Amino acid sequence: MSKVSWGMALVAVLSIVIGLGGYTFYRANGFSYISDAPSVCVNCHIMRDQYESYNHSSHRNWAICNDCHLPKAFVNKWFTKAYSGINHAVKFTTGNFTEPIVISARNKRIALENCVDCHRTVLAPILINSKSHLPNDLDCTACHGNVGHQGMK
């Protein structure tokens, strides 16, 4: 094959990949994931129960999904948003996930750190006695598992 043929083949393959990727991004309402709107979570039908339970929770008046589920630092927030989005897309497309869905250890840690950040004044006595930012045995969801998602643990 000549250099021109290889170049044309590469352009054709890249065009197909970019075209299919763009179409998939469009059909999946990809730009919505950049927003902070809680309704974005129901782009995947599997999240409907979590979204509905959030709408009946005490936190819906004070926090949106990203307040609890993403780090506060700009770079970490967008890295986690992209990483989780790709992970969710792969798992939901392939069907390789458990039902009911379960938060990953990394994402649970992020959520617990956000619990502490928002409730720092109440938690101050606990944190003063801890050597770390978030004690390893501090698990807000052990007792308050359905606060953000009413009726779910």
Side-chain angles (χ1 to χ4, degrees), residues 5-133:
S5 296
W6 278 108
M8 289 182 71
L10 179 62
V11 167
V13 168
L14 285 174
S15 296
I16 290 169
V17 168
I18 290 169
L20 286 173
Y23 179 73
T24 301
F25 188 80
Y26 167 76
R27 292 291 296 163
N29 202 10
F31 285 110
S32 69
Y33 293 99
I34 297 170
S35 80
D36 280 336
S39 59
V40 169
C41 296
V42 291
N43 282 352
C44 295
H45 65 90
I46 195 76
M47 297 296 291
R48 172 104 16 227
D49 289 344
Q50 286 75 13
Y51 179 71
E52 291 300 325
S53 65
Y54 161 78
N55 279 328
H56 293 92
S57 75
S58 60
H59 277 68
R60 82 171 188 284
N61 295 323
W62 311 107
I64 58 172
C65 306
N66 288 341
D67 290 335
C68 297
H69 292 284
L70 292 177
K72 302 295 184 226
F74 182 81
V75 173
N76 288 342
K77 173 184 178 178
W78 289 100
F79 171 80
T80 299
K81 195 168 192 147
Y83 179 82
S84 293
I86 291 168
N87 188 40
H88 291 158
V90 168
K91 287 187 179 215
F92 297 149
T93 299
T94 63
N96 185 20
F97 61 93
T98 59
E99 286 194 64
I101 60 172
V102 178
I103 193 168
S104 71
R106 179 182 184 276
N107 289 342
K108 184 171 184 175
R109 180 84 177 162
I110 290 167
L112 291 175
E113 287 175 359
N114 287 333
C115 290
V116 171
D117 283 345
C118 286
H119 299 284
R120 187 163 299 282
T121 55
V122 174
L123 294 171
I126 297 169
L127 296 174
I128 288 171
N129 295 322
S130 171
K131 292 180 175 55
S132 66
H133 170 68

